[in-house]
Amino acid sequence: MTKRYIQQFMWGFQEHFRGSLNVESDSVLRSIGFRGNPKATLVGFEAAGEHEFSICIEQEEELFKPSDFADVERRAVQKYKSHPESKIINTDQRTHDNRQRGILNRMRAEALEETLGALPGQEQRLFFAANSVRVDDYEVHVIISVDRSAVAAVPQIKTTVRDRFTIRPSLFHAVMMRMLGLAARSLYFPDPGAGLSALGTNYGEVVRTATESLMRDILYCAGYWFGSDADSLMNTLSSLPYEGRAGSGRLVFAKLDNPAVDVSVKLRSPVGTRKTLAVRKLLEASGPRVDVLSDGEKVYGLGLIKPDYDSETETVFVVTFNSRGTWELSHAGFALLTVKDGVPSLPTHVLDEDYLSDLVDRLFPQSDDTALLEAARAAGEHRHGAMLVISADAAGEAERLSPQSWAVEPARISPALITQLTDMDGAVLIDPTGRCHAIGVILDGTARGEGDPARGSRLNNAVRYLGSEPPPAIVVVYSADGGINILPHLHPRAREEDVSNAVSTFVALATEQPPSFEIAKRAWKVVESFKFYLSQEQCDAANQAHNTLEDFRMKSSNMRMQEPPLKPNAAMDETYWL
């Protein structure tokens, strides 16, 4: 067995530590519903002794070299000098020195993040670095990178700093900061990595404490400083029944003097939020006309968020109690966090408006996109599940389905009325301009072995309907359990040039002599991500290049990596090109 020698040596277990953090960070992020391919890296700066490398890197693949970070120290000093906190003087010398060292350390971590993100080939990755910890002769920074597009898709607020305090804008950011903090703390122990654990705790505890931090930051944005136990209070409220009924209602967090809140009923004696039984009773009074209002410390009345609330201020937040043990944190109508039976996760019950808009553009060239989005959002305000059908021939379908629905005179109806109509069984049928043609629609269709027996009748009826080849149609299905499906499921459109470049890049890398196996592997993964769009010629070229690569691996290491050969997809046609 070939031994691996650490060329850029910081300490003996650095590879084990980095490998453990790779596995643990992926598991933690997956537990909240984040899929962003996290990768851990360690970068150490020489602090003592005389070593061959003044900068050392511990990485899974040889992506970075010490010279990439030659300018980091200088940039860190520049950032420190321009940082407003560097001008503050503490009268206690030790406090002052510790504070300034911490700021400089943070600036080096930020300089690392910026440097890594600017390196060639890393444009699609986002880097998060912890402050350094001294390990033997090196100041070591723990770094975790993820796919930039995955972070962009995470529901989040824009505020990251308020009154000099760092704000975690999403559950993902809260979890990432918590993991980096725990990993950095582990570096203080002897031989970090020897125990094959980088975080030193279970994944659930990482997410729980991250959620606690997120809720504290959210309440701070709303004007309350001491919201450390807000998440546990919400869990308690969501689990309390009232006269046998499951919890429901909305709790709005905003200061009493916030101009965005209209107070309809003001309590003469505000109720402390820790008096959970009293707050739970007040939640029974919330509904379409009023919500329960709280400043974080006390419930002070009933009222509503004004329609002209400037969401850019990010000072008003809502917790919605949907059912027993379930609550959701949102801002300006967009969910930020979902908690079910005490388990936090990123919201999954969010309408994918980008995909809906793409489908509308592909199926209905002459449409009113704004009206259709408004209708889809309005259907999402349902009480027990809903279905919206957008049909290219809504008039014809309303007539054909009329024995099991009510056809109406075509007209644009308000979002509020659409929401009300979803209380009725059956779908609301509209045309691409947003005009309603039928209500209470029961879709027909023949079972063809598709659908999902674990899901309800709404989704399976929609699948059967679309499988029976009706006029071009989009069906938006809101299930009673909160799930959202937009049908049909089509592959996103891609750029023909991107697909061609991916294939040619892999072919060039795979046929080099000798090849870089790690770089070629990454290029193959890119080709695989485009496999739906590949032509027969492109499949043949990529498969042949892969065989050449593996033939060389067999000769050099007596090992071969087997991959299923690429094949063109019969469903691919010109409509999938951007």
Side-chain angles (χ1 to χ4, degrees):
M1 180 177 179
T2 303
K3 294 183 178 179
R4 179 186 185 270
Y5 294 94
I6 303 175
Q7 186 181 23
Q8 298 175 32
F9 184 89
M10 293 178 283
W11 80 96
F13 294 96
Q14 63 188 57
E15 180 186 14
H16 302 81
F17 184 88
R18 191 261 311 150
S20 296
L21 184 56
N22 252 353
V23 174
E24 292 176 79
S25 60
D26 183 61
S27 297
V28 171
L29 290 173
R30 282 180 178 273
S31 74
I32 65 170
F34 180 85
R35 305 287 192 274
N37 189 29
K39 297 292 182 184
T41 305
L42 308 176
V43 177
F45 293 87
E46 186 181 74
E50 295 182 2
H51 301 274
E52 180 181 357
F53 295 96
S54 60
I55 300 175
C56 290
I57 310 162
E58 170 58 44
Q59 55 190 328
E60 183 175 14
E61 307 169 33
E62 293 185 10
L63 297 176
F64 316 121
K65 52 188 183 295
S67 59
D68 292 331
F69 308 106
D71 199 40
V72 166
E73 296 273 22
R74 184 189 65 81
R75 293 177 64 181
V77 172
Q78 283 184 332
K79 291 171 69 68
Y80 167 76
K81 290 179 177 178
S82 62
H83 195 285
E85 300 285 326
S86 67
K87 310 299 188 296
I88 295 177
I89 298 176
N90 296 94
T91 55
D92 179 74
Q93 190 61 46
R94 190 170 71 168
T95 300
H96 177 81
D97 292 343
N98 287 338
R99 175 64 178 157
Q100 296 307 310
R101 276 196 298 269
I103 296 171
L104 180 58
N105 194 334
R106 185 62 233 156
M107 293 304 98
R108 185 169 61 189
E110 290 185 7
L112 268 174
E113 294 171 347
E114 294 166 2
T115 298
L116 284 161
L119 291 175
Q122 301 305 310
E123 299 84 359
Q124 303 305 316
R125 301 286 287 175
L126 200 58
F127 293 84
F128 299 86
N131 285 11
S132 69
V133 174
R134 179 74 174 266
V135 181
D136 294 341
D137 287 349
Y138 285 87
E139 288 287 340
V140 180
H141 290 271
V142 176
I143 302 163
I144 301 176
S145 67
V146 293
D147 291 337
R148 186 180 295 272
S149 59
V151 178
V154 169
Q156 55 194 285
I157 60 175
K158 297 178 181 178
T159 303
T160 56
V161 176
R162 182 157 292 184
D163 301 330
R164 295 167 48 198
F165 289 97
T166 298
I167 299 296
R168 299 156 181 83
S170 74
L171 178 61
F172 161 78
H173 291 88
V175 169
M176 179 61 74
M177 290 179 68
R178 182 61 177 159
M179 288 194 300
L180 289 173
L182 289 170
R185 187 182 68 177
S186 294
L187 293 178
Y188 284 104
F189 295 105
D191 297 326
L196 298 180
S197 175
L199 299 180
T201 188
N202 64 71
Y203 306 154
E205 182 64 13
V206 176
V207 177
R208 190 200 65 76
T209 52
T211 304
E212 178 183 306
S213 298
L214 173 63
M215 286 299 295
R216 181 179 63 244
D217 291 354
I218 290 297
L219 286 183
Y220 186 74
C221 288
Y224 180 56
W225 283 54
F226 308 105
S228 296
D229 59 351
D231 65 312
S232 61
L233 286 173
M234 298 305 105
N235 286 334
T236 301
L237 286 171
S238 68
S239 64
L240 285 174
Y242 182 77
E243 295 184 352
R245 296 192 297 274
S248 63
R250 283 167 39 109
L251 184 60
V252 175
F253 287 106
K255 294 182 70 174
L256 176 60
D257 59 357
N258 192 317
V261 176
D262 183 10
V263 182
S264 302
V265 178
K266 184 179 179 182
L267 298 179
R268 296 179 65 179
S269 298
V271 178
T273 53
R274 288 174 175 79
K275 295 181 177 179
T276 52
L277 289 174
V279 176
R280 172 67 186 88
K281 185 173 183 178
L282 285 168
L283 282 170
E284 286 294 304
S286 66
R289 298 185 183 277
V290 290
D291 297 318
V292 177
L293 306 177
S294 171
D295 59 9
E297 181 181 14
K298 297 179 182 296
V299 170
Y300 57 81
L302 302 172
L304 288 174
I305 303 170
K306 294 180 181 178
D308 60 353
Y309 164 58
D310 182 4
S311 61
E312 294 295 318
T313 65
E314 297 184 331
T315 58
V316 180
F317 297 87
V318 177
V319 169
T320 304
F321 300 95
N322 299 311
S323 58
R324 185 76 175 266
T326 302
W327 58 276
E328 184 177 81
L329 171 70
S330 63
H331 175 259
F334 292 94
L336 300 172
L337 165 72
T338 297
V339 179
K340 186 172 185 179
D341 296 328
V343 180
S345 64
L346 292 170
T348 54
H349 310 322
V350 178
L351 179 68
D352 189 342
E353 295 188 2
D354 290 338
Y355 180 63
L356 178 58
S357 296
D358 183 64
L359 273 185
V360 168
D361 186 44
R362 293 161 76 170
L363 298 180
F364 313 126
Q366 306 297 322
S367 62
D368 187 333
D369 294 13
T370 301
L372 297 183
L373 279 176
E374 286 180 351
R377 292 169 185 153
E381 300 296 321
H382 62 90
R383 293 193 299 178
H384 50 64
M387 186 184 298
L388 178 73
V389 179
I390 309 169
S391 174
D393 184 19
E397 288 297 275
E399 183 67 26
R400 186 179 70 82
L401 297 169
S402 60
Q404 50 196 23
S405 66
W406 285 280
V408 300
E409 291 293 329
R412 290 281 288 270
I413 57 178
S414 68
L417 182 53
I418 290 178
T419 300
Q420 185 173 331
L421 290 172
T422 61
D423 288 341
M424 180 193 309
D425 287 338
V428 175
L429 175 65
I430 63 176
D431 64 26
T433 68
R435 295 186 305 164
C436 179
H437 288 255
I439 59 176
V441 177
I442 306 300
L443 298 179
D444 60 5
T446 304
R448 299 189 177 188
E450 299 175 345
D452 184 352
R455 298 296 301 275
S457 59
R458 288 186 183 87
L459 176 66
N460 287 295
N461 285 346
V463 170
R464 287 193 292 269
Y465 173 71
L466 293 175
S468 300
E469 300 182 0
I474 298 171
V475 183
V476 183
V477 182
Y478 291 91
S479 300
D481 62 3
I484 303 174
N485 294 89
I486 302 175
L487 305 174
H489 294 303
L490 299 181
H491 285 272
R493 289 181 288 182
R495 298 185 186 279
E496 192 169 3
E497 181 182 5
D498 292 342
V499 176
S500 179
N501 287 341
V503 174
S504 59
T505 298
F506 170 71
V507 170
L509 291 170
T511 53
E512 283 183 349
Q513 297 292 322
S516 171
F517 291 110
E518 290 298 335
I519 296 176
K521 176 185 176 182
R522 292 198 303 274
W524 173 260
K525 292 298 182 184
V526 175
V527 173
E528 280 192 318
S529 70
F530 285 129
K531 64 182 180 181
F532 174 80
Y533 310 93
L534 298 178
S535 66
Q536 182 67 63
E537 182 182 359
Q538 289 170 327
C539 289
D540 292 342
N543 289 333
Q544 184 175 346
H546 190 272
N547 288 335
T548 300
L549 177 70
E550 295 309 317
D551 287 344
F552 190 93
R553 192 197 302 270
M554 177 63 76
K555 291 178 182 178
S556 60
S557 63
N558 199 33
M559 182 176 67
R560 189 180 191 90
M561 302 295 289
Q562 198 66 37
E563 296 281 357
L566 297 170
K567 299 178 181 178
N569 194 305
M572 172 61 190
D573 58 36
E574 293 295 322
T575 64
Y576 286 95
W577 294 128
L578 281 171

